[in-house]
Amino acid sequence: DAGVIQSPRHEVTEMGQEVTLRCKPISGHNSLFWYRQTMMRGLELLIYFNNNVPIDDSGMPEDRFSAKMPNASFSTLKIQPSEPRDSAVYFCASSLGTSGGLYPQETQYFGPGTRLLVL
Amino acid sequence: AQSVTQLGSHVSVSEGALVLLRCNYSSSVPPYLFWYVQYPNQGLQLLLKYTSAATLVKGINGFEAEFKKSETSFHLTKPSAHMSDAAEYFCAVWYNQGGKLIFGQGTELSVKP
């Protein structure tokens, strides 16, 4: 299996620009998670989906952030407009389970991350 | 609220020495606990998890962790460090209300020759 695929791996943009991060979960997985990792705040859950439906987006920092999952094999995280404080590594993870990630037995598999730098 | 604290942001050991990475949790209910490893420029990989079965959990790469309820701890150990163990290690607790993993701040492990 190819694992979780994220693109791009690196993104450098200027403040005010729109940024779109992409994720392809492991085939057959029904839950998808977006995380952000920074030195100051560590690893934070932004949002997660089960069967393409957003379950909890309480971690999304503000309205500039939005996430979609139009089908079982693709998700996007969009930042518009981007700001320097959005600079971080963004991880996507997926899992398989009947509860949609609500049971801890459902291991999350992480992608390699997208390293975002907003100038 | 559930939280997890990792003691020591950086640990350095010699090759062949014991590895001990500390993790304490706070939880009002029996927790589910995890250790993840992150190698440079890579995503997180599950090392092991505790889900209320045996208190001593064995994971990949020779790591193990022991759940101690009385100490609210879930420390990660490995008897003999290898150079390839150099990475960042994250302890995480499962947050029942909402199905979330709450991660600690991470501990960077360095292994000296």
Side-chain angles (χ1 to χ4, degrees):
Chain A
D1 198 319
V4 176
I5 299 173
Q6 291 187 247
S7 64
R9 292 294 308 275
H10 302 273
E11 177 80 28
V12 181
T13 189
E14 292 186 347
M15 182 174 61
Q17 296 298 308
E18 176 180 297
V19 175
T20 299
L21 311 181
R22 298 173 176 79
C23 176
K24 177 179 170 55
I26 292 173
S27 177
H29 281 192
N30 58 357
S31 292
L32 184 140
F33 307 79
W34 281 102
Y35 290 89
R36 178 173 67 176
Q37 185 179 37
T38 62
M39 289 292 292
M40 291 297 294
R41 300 175 66 90
L43 199 61
E44 306 170 277
L45 177 66
L46 300 178
I47 184 172
Y48 79 96
F49 296 83
N50 175 240
N51 292 327
N52 313 335
V53 176
I55 303 299
D56 186 342
D57 64 355
S58 60
M60 295 286 263
E62 48 197 276
D63 292 345
R64 297 185 298 106
F65 285 70
S66 62
K68 294 182 179 180
M69 192 165 187
N71 56 63
S73 60
F74 183 66
S75 176
T76 60
L77 178 66
K78 187 175 292 186
I79 308 172
Q80 168 63 20
S82 58
E83 297 183 2
R85 60 193 168 119
D86 302 329
S87 298
V89 182
Y90 291 81
F91 289 103
C92 176
S94 70
S95 68
L96 170 65
T98 56
S99 71
L102 292 177
Y103 293 152
Q105 289 85 349
E106 298 165 4
T107 300
Q108 293 182 23
Y109 295 85
F110 283 73
T114 295
R115 190 172 297 273
L116 173 65
L117 177 61
V118 183
L119 302 174
Chain B
Q2 299 189 11
S3 65
V4 60
T5 302
Q6 291 183 241
L7 301 177
S9 59
H10 187 264
V11 170
S12 182
V13 301
S14 298
E15 191 173 18
L18 171 71
V19 175
L20 171 61
L21 305 181
R22 300 178 186 273
C23 173
N24 287 88
Y25 67 91
S26 64
S27 173
S28 58
V29 297
Y32 298 102
L33 296 157
F34 303 76
W35 276 100
Y36 280 82
V37 60
Q38 184 179 24
Y39 298 103
N41 300 314
Q42 295 187 27
L44 278 71
Q45 179 183 1
L46 181 68
L47 268 181
L48 50 81
K49 61 183 176 182
Y50 167 75
T51 57
S52 73
T55 57
L56 182 62
V57 182
K58 294 185 183 299
I60 61 173
N61 301 338
F63 284 93
E64 62 182 36
E66 185 173 8
F67 171 68
K68 291 187 176 180
K69 184 178 180 180
S70 61
E71 299 178 7
T72 62
S73 69
F74 190 58
H75 302 330
L76 182 70
T77 60
K78 181 174 180 177
S80 177
H82 192 271
M83 296 296 290
S84 62
D85 294 327
E88 188 152 18
Y89 292 80
F90 292 90
C91 184
V93 62
W94 186 263
Y95 182 37
N96 282 330
Q97 297 180 17
K100 299 179 185 179
L101 271 178
I102 305 298
F103 286 88
Q105 286 295 99
T107 298
E108 184 177 354
L109 175 66
S110 300
V111 182
K112 299 175 291 186

